[in-house]
């Protein structure tokens, strides 16, 4: 009897709300009541429920299909006509659709929410999330406050929306507060919320907290793992990334790709190739991003032997460069960096679809190899004959071409038109190109003026370009200004100190050299050791460091070099002693110069390759003046083509001349 009475009471109560409460809520409520043992028949009002459920599902699918505000308003009219305007479920869906289409939260979506009398946490969350997505974090937070005032307990989606918003604006302290609230109110952390927390801490640069959340999560999914692995990669901590990756129980393509691209981003190409190989061995098929990562690793290694393998992998995985613009563009970049700009041009021409990245890679590739005219022609073709809009990277390529060819006036014109005609804002990187262009041409004061009038705060690259130019033109006064700024912006980058040292040395100012050396010592900075390498026919890499005593062929290499020096001397070669930035005796300087790593690599290549073969040498640091002259003359006496890549650009030495025209 008691059971019966309760049942009829509930049903009349429910009927009173039947037009106001959404069907999902009704059935939810019924389920709760069944659980409480208060009714035993869930179908107390089966027809109404059924009809309302049908209407609701039709309305939500209509909302899913909406592509504009006008359509939404039509569906909204149906919502009202069919009596669903008090349904939290439908109105939540409506607000989420409005958010998806970028309709501002004020006034429409918010007003719709306020008109609902009994709001549930999902409805509140839709509005909170809407504000958060639209970048209005303070209003999202204030909505959260209103919701709490109404006594509504947030759900995990509420927190994930707020945490995500804190992450995207980098507000760590607010993020922490919501982190604490999550635990206080829900007592546990779902995988989804946990992942958002990791994301928050990663975006705020707090890797330790991100790791702590990860370690304390009761349950994790592959997203939790890869999020953290990728974050370690971005933070430059590949050891932690690798440690985490090895513990990941099931390694999917996303996780493998995070490792491959992580190593590429951190300039560890050999490791990237290793992981790619392991991925293949484990039976996971590479996707486009992983293949592009592999190609970038080959580009960093600069070895054409790997280049062939990269093309093979791209084709085998079904990503032909002609049909896949990402792969095509990556291959153009790779061939350019491997010293084979001809092959880069072939790939470019074979591509059916080209975008701004393909053009930019090609322009930059031509520029790096000193083919300035072709780079500029391609740029003009792109802006006149295609609908592709140039971007920052395109202009970096174009200005690099002008810089390496000494085309000052053209570079100036292009720099001016960049903003006026193409709407590309000058960035620090573009200013760097401009300073480089003027600096190389010896217009150091003008370059300094450009920096002073910059519309953005100059970064290390800009001052670095000026300092580099001072080295070429032996100007210690401007060098000191550049160095002063550089040492403030990048106090621990040893390359800057070495550059200043070189400027003093080239001007014969040994006191200056000593003062910089003292500074390096005080700061405890370690010099990056020079290394050059060549890849033999079997794909084996041979590395040469100064002195090269470890190489099995070192005796033969010494012999070859001595012989070569004699032949070059006949052509007028004199060691350029100012290339040694120490106050040493002339004889000491001579013996230091002859051991420069690229010379050792050259001798090795002369000994081990056939006469008709191009010699390709890679170096991690900038080539010195003496080595440049040495290579140029060596290409004449040996009749060999020598392609040399240092950390700045390519030099093609052929018959006693260099593609850079000795302008570098
Ligand atoms: Zn050298
Ligand atoms: Zn050169």
């Amino acid at each position: 009897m008691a059971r019966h009475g309760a049942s009829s009471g509930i049903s009349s109560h429910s009927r009173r709300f039947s037009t106001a409460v959404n069907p999902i809520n009704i059935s939810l409520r019924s389920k709760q009541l069944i659980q409480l043992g208060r009714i035993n028949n869930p179908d107390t009002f089966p027809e109404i429920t059924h009809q309302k459920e049908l209407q609701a599902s039709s309305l939500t699918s209509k909302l899913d299909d909406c592509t504009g505000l006008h359509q939404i308003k039509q569906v909204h009219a149906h919502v009202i006509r069919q009596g669903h305007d008090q349904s939290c479920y439908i109105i939540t869906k409506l607000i989420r659709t409005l958010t998806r289409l970028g309709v501002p939260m004020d006034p429409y979506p918010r007003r719709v929410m306020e008109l609902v009398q009994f709001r549930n946490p999902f409805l509140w969350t839709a509005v909170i999330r809407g504000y958060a997505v639209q970048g209005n974090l303070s209003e999202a937070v204030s909505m959260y406050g209103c919701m709490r005032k109404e006594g509504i307990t947030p759900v995990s989606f509420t927190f994930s929306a707020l945490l995500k918003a804190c992450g995207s604006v980098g507000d760590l302290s607010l993020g922490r507060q919501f982190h604490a609230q999550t635990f206080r109110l829900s007592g546990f952390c779902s995988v989804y919320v946990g992942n958002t927390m990791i994301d928050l801490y990663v975006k705020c640069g707090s890797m330790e907290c991100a790791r702590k959340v990860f370690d304390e999560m009761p349950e994790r999914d592959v997203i939790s793992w890869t999020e953290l692995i990728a974050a370690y990669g971005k933070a430059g901590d590949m050891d932690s990334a690798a440690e985490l990756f090895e513990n990941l129980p099931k390694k999917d393509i996303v996780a493998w790709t995070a490792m491959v691209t992580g190593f590429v981003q951190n300039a560890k190409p050999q490791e990237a190739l290793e992981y790619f190989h392991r991925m293949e061995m484990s039976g996971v098929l590479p996707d486009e991003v992983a293949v592009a990562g592999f190609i970038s690793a080959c580009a960093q290694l600069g070895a054409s032997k790997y280049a062939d393998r990269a093309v093979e992998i791209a084709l085998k995985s079904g990503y032909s460069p002609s049909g896949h613009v990402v792969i095509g563009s990556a291959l153009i970049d790779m061939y350019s960096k491997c010293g084979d700009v001809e092959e880069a041009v072939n790939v470019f021409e074979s591509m059916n679809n080209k975008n701004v990245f393909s053009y930019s890679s090609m322009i930059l590739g031509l520029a790096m190899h000193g083919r300035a005219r072709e780079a500029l022609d391609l740029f003009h073709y792109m802006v006149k004959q295609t609908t592709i809009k140039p971007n920052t990277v395109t202009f970096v390529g174009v200005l690099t071409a002008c810089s390496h060819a000494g085309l000052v006036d053209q570079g100036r014109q292009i720099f001016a038109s960049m903003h006026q005609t193409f709407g590309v804002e000058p960035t620090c990187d573009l200013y760097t190109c401009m300073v480089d262009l003027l600096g190389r041409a010896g217009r150091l004061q003008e370059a300094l003026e450009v920096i002073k009038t910059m519309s953005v705060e100059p970064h290390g690259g800009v001052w670095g370009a000026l300092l580099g130019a001072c080295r070429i033109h032996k100007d210690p006064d401007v060098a000191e200004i550049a160095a002063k700024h550089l040492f403030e912006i990048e106090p621990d980058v040893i390359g800057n100190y070495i550059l200043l040292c070189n400027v003093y040395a080239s001007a014969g100012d040994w006191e200056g050299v000593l003062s910089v050396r003292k500074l390096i010592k005080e700061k405890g900075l370690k010099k990056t050791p020079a290394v050059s390498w060549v890849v033999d026919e079997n794909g084996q890499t041979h590395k040469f460091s100064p002195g090269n005593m470890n190489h099995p062929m070192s005796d033969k290499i010494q012999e070859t070099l001595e012989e070569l020096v004699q032949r070059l001397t006949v052509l007028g070669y004199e060691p350029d002693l100012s290339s040694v930035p120490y106050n040493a005796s002339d004889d000491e300087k001579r013996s230091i110069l002859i051991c420069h790593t690229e010379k050792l690599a050259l001798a090795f290549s002369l000994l081990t390759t056939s006469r008709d073969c191009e010699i390709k040498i890679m170096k991690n640091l900038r080539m010195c003046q003496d080595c440049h002259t040495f290579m140029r003359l060596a290409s004449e006496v040996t009749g060999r083509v020598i392609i040399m890549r240092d950390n700045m650009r390519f030099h093609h030495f052929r018959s006693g001349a260099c593609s850079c025209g000795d302008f570098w």
Side-chain angles (χ1 to χ4, degrees):
M1 266 312 275
R3 197 183 274 170
H4 214 93
S7 165
S8 56
I10 290 299
S11 77
S12 65
H13 170 82
S14 297
R15 236 176 240 127
R16 201 152 50 84
F17 280 94
S18 61
T19 52
V21 183
N22 85 62
I24 305 297
N25 279 1
I26 292 171
S27 45
L28 244 174
R29 181 95 180 112
S30 328
K31 272 184 196 146
Q32 284 167 348
L33 292 173
I34 295 162
Q35 278 166 356
L36 289 169
R38 290 168 68 185
I39 52 174
N40 58 1
N41 180 8
D43 298 321
T44 317
F45 33 83
E47 277 138 50
I48 299 165
T49 309
H50 188 60
Q51 193 199 351
K52 285 280 165 192
E53 268 173 7
L54 280 180
Q55 280 178 354
S57 96
S58 145
L59 287 169
T60 53
S61 73
K62 272 186 192 142
L63 283 169
D64 276 335
D65 295 340
C66 283
T67 53
L69 186 56
H70 182 66
Q71 274 175 307
I72 299 186
K73 285 192 167 162
Q74 282 180 335
V75 182
H76 191 183
H78 284 291
V79 169
I80 296 168
R81 213 174 308 138
Q82 293 173 9
H84 286 283
D85 57 326
Q86 291 297 311
S87 152
C88 285
Y89 175 69
I90 303 277
I91 300 301
T92 299
K93 183 78 192 176
L94 178 71
I95 293 171
R96 287 186 71 93
T97 310
L98 288 164
T99 308
R100 170 167 64 84
L101 294 173
V103 177
M105 279 297 116
D106 280 317
Y108 183 18
R110 179 165 179 164
R111 188 76 198 118
V112 177
M113 182 273 282
E114 283 169 351
L115 287 172
V116 179
Q117 209 181 346
F118 300 99
R119 296 180 274 262
N120 73 5
F122 294 100
L123 180 55
W124 277 106
T125 302
V127 176
I128 292 170
R129 182 180 164 275
Y131 277 116
V133 167
Q134 290 171 5
N136 192 346
L137 180 57
S138 68
E139 203 49 41
V141 174
S142 117
M143 282 281 110
Y144 175 78
C146 296
M147 166 184 164
R148 299 290 292 131
K149 247 183 233 154
E150 256 182 35
I152 309 278
T153 308
V155 288
S156 61
F157 290 116
T158 323
F159 289 118
S160 55
L162 287 161
L163 291 165
K164 211 178 262 175
C166 293
S168 57
V169 297
D171 192 333
L172 184 58
S173 99
L174 192 61
R176 270 188 215 279
Q177 289 177 39
F178 283 119
H179 181 168
Q181 291 259 312
T182 315
F183 276 94
R184 224 181 39 177
L185 293 170
S186 56
F188 77 101
C189 169
S190 70
V191 178
Y192 184 67
V193 175
N195 290 348
T196 328
M197 268 180 210
I198 293 178
D199 181 65
L200 160 79
Y201 287 118
V202 164
K203 288 208 172 106
C204 295
S206 176
M207 284 304 293
E208 254 172 64
C209 292
R211 181 59 187 260
K212 200 155 182 290
V213 171
F214 176 85
D215 287 340
E216 287 171 3
M217 276 166 83
E219 203 191 318
R220 302 168 190 136
D221 61 9
V222 74
I223 296 171
S224 338
W225 288 86
T226 40
E227 171 116 27
L228 206 53
I229 290 171
Y232 276 128
K234 282 201 189 99
D237 184 357
M238 283 314 288
D239 289 344
S240 301
E243 176 242 349
L244 206 59
F245 179 79
E246 298 307 336
N247 286 319
L248 172 61
K250 201 175 172 299
K251 301 169 174 55
D252 69 352
I253 177 67
V254 184
W256 281 109
T257 307
M259 287 308 287
V260 172
T261 48
F263 281 120
V264 170
Q265 281 159 3
N266 288 287
K268 293 185 168 165
Q270 204 78 54
E271 287 87 340
L273 298 187
E274 259 166 47
Y275 272 76
F276 190 90
H277 183 65
R278 274 181 60 194
M279 174 180 75
E280 282 186 307
M281 289 288 114
S282 74
V284 172
L285 290 177
D287 64 2
E288 200 171 359
V289 183
V291 175
F294 182 90
I295 297 172
S296 300
C298 297
Q300 285 178 9
L301 279 173
S304 38
K305 200 74 202 171
Y306 292 111
D308 299 340
R309 171 105 179 89
V311 176
E312 198 184 295
I313 282 173
L315 292 176
K316 202 178 78 186
S317 318
Y319 303 111
S320 73
S322 56
H324 292 81
V325 71
V326 175
I327 300 296
S329 307
L331 283 175
I332 293 170
D333 178 59
M334 179 194 73
Y335 277 122
S336 305
K337 288 184 177 151
C338 288
D340 197 346
V341 71
E342 270 322 314
E343 200 50 48
V345 173
N346 288 343
V347 172
F348 181 76
E349 282 173 356
S350 79
M351 288 170 72
N352 297 328
N353 290 313
K354 294 175 186 124
N355 63 11
V356 65
F357 295 105
S358 341
Y359 273 96
S360 304
S361 298
M362 195 64 251
I363 290 170
L364 194 58
L366 290 165
M368 269 192 299
H369 288 274
R371 290 164 69 163
R373 182 54 34 220
E374 287 159 84
L376 290 172
D377 286 349
L378 186 59
F379 169 70
H380 288 128
Y381 177 85
M382 171 187 161
V383 295
K384 287 191 185 124
Q385 309 288 328
T386 76
T387 53
I388 301 167
K389 297 260 167 298
N391 65 12
T392 309
V393 187
T394 323
F395 283 105
V396 166
V398 175
L399 292 173
T400 304
C402 293
S403 173
H404 286 171
L407 304 170
V408 176
D409 291 334
Q410 286 213 28
R412 270 210 208 97
Q413 272 168 21
I414 288 170
F415 191 77
S417 75
M418 186 175 79
H419 188 218
Q420 286 160 11
T421 317
F422 301 104
V424 173
E425 291 288 340
T427 61
C428 267
D429 287 344
L430 288 166
Y431 275 112
T432 304
C433 294
M434 205 53 211
V435 168
D436 191 66
L437 167 68
L438 294 167
R440 276 170 196 277
R443 305 184 187 203
L444 298 173
Q445 285 300 337
E446 210 177 315
L448 192 58
E449 271 319 299
V450 168
I451 301 180
K452 282 182 186 159
T453 56
M454 271 173 69
S455 54
V456 280
E457 191 64 31
H459 62 18
V462 179
W463 290 111
L466 184 62
L467 186 56
C470 292
R471 190 195 63 97
I472 301 172
H473 297 287
K474 303 184 171 61
D475 187 332
D477 295 336
V478 180
E480 276 168 11
I481 301 172
K484 187 175 153 280
H485 289 277
L486 264 179
F487 294 169
E488 267 169 31
I489 303 170
E490 309 171 336
D492 299 325
V493 176
I494 178 126
N496 298 330
Y497 297 86
I498 304 278
L499 254 180
L500 182 62
C501 220
N502 289 341
V503 180
Y504 283 134
S506 62
D509 178 354
W510 301 112
E511 245 172 65
V513 171
L514 279 179
S515 69
V516 182
R517 296 204 156 263
K518 213 173 126 208
L519 212 57
I520 295 176
K521 218 172 173 186
E522 276 168 13
K523 288 185 165 280
L525 301 176
K526 289 267 173 297
K527 200 173 162 180
T528 313
V531 58
S532 293
W533 64 96
V534 292
V535 180
D536 70 16
E537 284 169 353
N538 304 316
Q540 188 91 32
T541 306
H542 298 264
K543 286 186 183 177
F544 299 91
S545 31
N548 191 52
M549 290 315 161
N550 304 327
H551 200 276
M553 288 176 66
S554 57
D555 286 348
K556 278 231 149 117
I557 288 172
Q558 282 305 329
E559 240 173 69
T560 310
L561 277 176
E562 276 162 32
E563 198 190 275
L564 197 54
V565 169
Q566 280 178 6
R567 289 171 71 193
L568 298 189
T569 311
V570 179
L571 287 181
Y573 168 71
E574 275 262 14
D576 178 5
L577 301 183
S578 76
S579 294
V580 180
Y582 322 108
N583 192 10
S585 76
D586 286 1
D587 274 347
E588 280 169 330
K589 283 184 184 174
R590 270 189 204 97
S591 51
I592 290 168
L593 283 176
I594 198 66
C595 289
H596 275 188
T597 58
E598 54 270 61
K599 292 194 185 96
L600 303 174
L602 173 68
F604 172 79
S605 302
L606 287 171
L607 282 165
T608 54
T609 56
S610 56
R611 284 202 58 86
D612 53 345
C613 202
E614 286 179 347
I615 294 173
K616 280 184 193 159
I617 302 169
M618 312 284 155
K619 188 182 182 182
N620 66 335
L621 304 176
R622 196 182 181 124
M623 183 172 32
C624 79
Q625 185 67 53
D626 182 64
C627 287
H628 194 271
T629 313
F630 193 92
M631 296 284 166
R632 197 164 52 69
L633 296 175
S635 74
E636 187 169 353
V637 300
T638 61
R640 303 286 292 266
V641 174
I642 305 165
I643 300 171
M644 167 89 203
R645 182 185 97 176
D646 66 6
N647 66 339
M648 302 300 286
R649 58 166 294 151
F650 273 97
H651 300 268
H652 291 243
F653 300 97
R654 200 184 302 254
S655 319
C658 181
S659 60
C660 75
D662 293 339
F663 193 91
W664 54 286

